[in-house]
Amino acid sequence: TQNEMYFITFSVLLFCIHNVPYPVWRLTVFQMANLPLFFLHIFTFVLSEPLYQTYRATVITKEIKRQTICRNISKTSADFTMDWVARRAATAPPATTMTTGASTTTTLSGASNGLARVSPVPTPSHSTLWQDLPAVRDSGILDTLSPEQCKYQESMFEVLTSEVSYLRSLRVLTDHFLDSRELHDTLIIRDRKTLFSNILRVREVSERFLKDLEERMDQNLVLTDICDIIHYHAQHNFPVYIDYVRNQIYQEKTYTTLIKNNFPFAAVISRLQELPQCQRLPFMSFLLLPFQRITRIKMLIENILKRTKEQTKEEQTASKALDSVSKIIEECNTQVGKMKQMEELILLSRVLEFDKLKALPIISQTRYLEKKGELGEMSKGGTIFNMRAKFTPVHLFLFNDLLILATKKGSVRN
């Protein structure tokens, strides 16, 4: 019965809840009882999403396999469609298999209720497709959609599944590394702040974004649009990525310095990386996640836009979302460039000495280094018997508003 299915689903959820990257963690059992059954099916399906570092590799591998098999099929697309409909009419296994721990694996292999997927390739357990959701298969929606419409649904649903995977990796970074007491004891406050930056704020933004995506999926199994959600978050929440990326140059340098000079830190990091939560992925791969994610969202929007009907409201919304996310990425790149330029100015200010000259402030928010290099200053010989030209090394530093000529300490310039 439906109540029995709810009860068993709750058992699965409560058992797995500590590994679930969903804002639904905050729901009470009473609140979860009021969720639609198809949403609980979605919830249990996305539990299997991998960490974000391996998510993209899984998707690419699956697509390569699908295309390889499709090229080897001698039937026409119409023949394949007829076979697919025939397979979907096959005898279904017992319904109770859907609600047990083993049944989740069975469902992921596409055997639930005799409803097969459009793709002839079995979907890996680590990558959830919209058409694999039990609620989608049970509803008969797939019978009414064309292959192109299914691809459009998948392109939107991938935004949700990839966000689940991304948030899961963020939770490893925050819960496993940031909250580690051992790691905390090896770091001073400044290094800790530089290393983790505003990652908690980034995770909060991801949770809000995923919550809105879930609610849209909760409204209707057939998604009409999600780019309006992306556009809203790009305008109001995604700027947090700019702050995080701006700090990356210092983040990487701090990590490299700590690994070389802070032996307790290096030992704890090495041990934490070996634990199952990390799946043997390096700590730095988790720190690089935010910028990878915002660029990935742009690619997902482009894929949605490619499958959106022209001259429609959905196309306009997708274009706006793409434009707003592109601006975030552009600003991220600009800030990274500015931070590198500032770092360069700081290093130069430490090595330049204004001997017998009035010192100039090198560091400025509006100044950046255009070019630097070594030149040879030519001068005539010092005596009548030595007329050969003499070359003295001179270092040139060309800024956007300043030119500095300098010689190395100890060298003689005539």
Side-chain angles (χ1 to χ4, degrees), residues 6 18 24-25 34 64 69 94 106 114 216 267 285 385 388 402:
Y6 274 130
H18 65 283
V24 185
W25 304 316
N34 293 313
I64 290 174
I69 291 183
T106 303
R216 180 63 55 84
S285 72
F385 301 104
R388 290 187 304 175
L402 181 67

Side-chain angles (χ1 to χ4, degrees), residues 180-367:
S180 169
R181 174 54 60 182
E182 286 184 275
L183 194 62
H184 180 275
D185 293 341
T186 66
L187 294 169
I188 61 175
I189 296 176
R190 182 187 63 189
D191 288 343
R192 178 181 168 85
K193 184 176 181 180
T194 303
L195 204 57
F196 292 100
S197 189
N198 62 332
I199 193 62
L200 289 176
R201 174 71 179 128
V202 172
R203 193 184 85 172
E204 180 185 342
V205 166
S206 178
E207 289 175 345
R208 289 181 180 179
F209 181 44
L210 183 57
K211 180 176 180 294
D212 288 345
L213 293 174
E214 291 169 0
E215 290 177 351
R216 180 63 55 84
M217 189 74 190
D218 193 14
Q219 293 170 7
N220 196 335
L221 276 178
V222 179
L223 296 167
T224 55
D225 190 15
I226 63 166
C227 287
D228 57 329
I229 297 175
I230 300 175
H231 179 54
Y232 173 84
H233 283 268
Q235 290 186 311
H236 298 89
N237 295 321
F238 288 173
V240 71
Y241 285 100
I242 299 173
D243 297 330
Y244 186 89
V245 173
R246 183 190 294 120
N247 180 60
Q248 273 195 321
I249 182 174
Y250 299 113
Q251 188 183 59
E252 294 172 8
K253 288 187 176 183
T254 299
Y255 176 73
T256 301
T257 302
L258 288 171
I259 287 293
K260 288 182 179 179
N261 304 326
N262 189 331
F263 298 110
F265 171 84
V268 173
I269 283 290
S270 179
R271 189 185 65 80
L272 291 176
Q273 288 176 159
E274 293 299 317
L275 294 179
Q277 296 93 317
C278 288
Q279 298 181 13
R280 305 183 73 85
L281 292 167
F283 173 62
M284 274 304 297
S285 72
F286 291 93
L287 291 180
L288 296 174
L289 287 172
F291 189 59
Q292 293 174 356
R293 180 54 184 167
I294 194 65
T295 54
R296 177 64 179 170
I297 289 176
K298 179 184 176 182
M299 295 172 63
L300 293 173
I301 300 172
E302 290 172 340
N303 191 36
I304 293 172
L305 186 58
K306 182 175 65 176
R307 304 185 185 284
T308 304
K309 290 182 179 180
E310 296 181 359
Q311 305 298 323
T312 61
K313 179 184 177 182
E314 288 75 17
E315 183 189 40
Q316 294 177 0
T317 306
S319 298
K320 289 180 181 179
L322 181 60
D323 181 62
S324 56
V325 171
S326 296
K327 287 180 180 178
I328 295 292
I329 296 173
E330 183 180 346
E331 184 62 23
C332 284
N333 290 325
T334 300
Q335 291 299 321
V336 168
K338 285 183 178 180
M339 295 308 291
K340 287 182 178 179
Q341 291 166 2
M342 183 59 65
E343 182 71 10
E344 207 165 23
L345 293 179
I346 292 173
L347 291 175
L348 284 176
S349 68
R350 293 173 180 171
V351 298
L352 291 176
E353 290 185 8
F354 294 87
D355 187 27
K356 299 178 182 179
L357 294 173
K358 182 180 179 181
L360 292 173
I362 299 299
I363 301 174
S364 170
Q365 290 289 343
T366 59
R367 178 173 295 146

Side-chain angles (χ1 to χ4, degrees), residues 52-62:
Y52 194 64
Q53 294 93 318
T54 59
Y55 176 88
R56 289 175 299 171
T58 302
V59 171
I60 292 172
T61 301
K62 179 182 65 179

